Amino acid sequence: MKIIIAGAHAIGSHLAKLLSRTNQDVVLIDDDEERLANVSGDYDLMTLHASPTSVRALKEAGAEDADLFIGVTLDESVNLNSCILAHAVGAKRTVARMDNYEYSDDSYKEFFKQLGVDSLIYPEILAARDITNGLKMSWVRQRWDVHDGALVMLGIKLRESCEILNQPLKQLCGPQDPYHIVAIKRGGDTIIPGGDDELKLYDLAYFMTTKNYIPYIRKIVGKEHYVDVKNVMMMGGGKTAIRAATTMPEYMDVKIIESDEEQCHRLNEEIDTDHAMVIHGDGRDLSLLMEEGIKNTQAFVALTGNAEANILACLTAKRLGVRKTVAMVENFDYVSMAESLDIGTIVNKKALAASYIYQMMLDVDVQNIRFLMTANADVAEFTAQQGSKVTRKRVFELGLPKGATIGGLVRHGVGQLVSGGTQIEAGDTVVVFCHEVNMKKIEKYFKD
């Protein structure tokens, strides 16, 4: 597949590195030579120093034969224009990163498609969705709903109160049991478990279950004493904070601490003040945190552009008694450090955006792909086609690659867990987990 990426900033460079490892034909365009040099050194891709809105440059990059053109510069106008031009030149599909929230309305989709922009991506909206989902359940590190909640994946840190430690999974997760363990993060290792594996203290375990069994999962992992989140304190008032604050459930009260006075005024204009309070100050100021009621806060969310500040602020909040913390960590080098310091939920817009775009590369019907940073694993929702390989044999006979497992499926809107004897049918939405397995190897199971 030939892929052209316009913009060697955070998302573009991360995506270029990701795709170069999957043997794709990748060209990265940017008008800054230094940015290109930072990416091209150790990865198998071509770079082009040019403006992404130059027709000559697009043709030189091979847009006439491109399967996918991705506009992810910092300027949404450049992204839109480059996608329109790439489409006119011959690119089959285009996707543009956007900042203007009003364009996310579904009524604009057909308009942009007619212009030549097939998809719009909003990293801040993706991040806000992750944050909001995480806050809804204080005892969960990560939550992912499949098919509007027909299935639910829960990433849970296991503590001493967990009832299911040190027991073979084959005794816990049989065909009739209401959950499956689909992945385990233990120290620096990720395990796609088999029946003889056991859960250990401090594992980050990924449970696949149905919504009605969430209370049962909460009980067996010993998290019933965790207080639900009602009061949220947020440090940083940028775009992600605005989207998160405006999409939180009504029962949550939000305080946003922002150090820039002018940004505070903008926040007050954009956010419903009945739902959120904007405070001018430094979110690392202990006296300010105490004054604003950190002791009565169930969740602290750090969303500044500084990963170190976000991590330190979350550590401070935890020491002050806040159980649920969320940190935006855009620098991948700091992700493992944040994990080792037991920061709760880690949000990375680059990874979210890259996952969203990556699904466009696949030749099968795939609704959602997520890269689970903490587990170094991918999870995706595939739809089984009539006559595809996945429908011709039972799960245990499919011969899935090592490091891949099927966690569950949705049939006619109803979620169900999958065992070795399950027979997948055409039209089923199937949830697949992969660790160190290229999703391109999985898609062949779902092709007709």
Side-chain angles (χ1 to χ4, degrees), residues 317-328:
K318 287 176 79 75
R319 283 199 296 269
L320 293 173
V322 179
R323 192 177 288 277
K324 179 73 176 181
T325 56
V326 180
M328 188 160 70

Side-chain angles (χ1 to χ4, degrees), residues 15-52:
L15 193 58
K17 293 173 183 178
L18 178 69
L19 297 179
S20 70
R21 296 170 183 157
T22 59
N23 299 317
Q24 306 298 326
D25 182 3
V26 181
V27 179
L28 180 62
I29 306 175
D30 199 280
D31 56 10
D32 188 300
E33 283 189 287
E34 187 175 344
R35 280 198 296 267
L36 289 173
N38 290 335
V39 178
S40 61
D42 301 320
Y43 297 94
D44 183 18
L45 52 85
M46 291 182 60
T47 59
L48 179 61
H49 177 222
S51 168

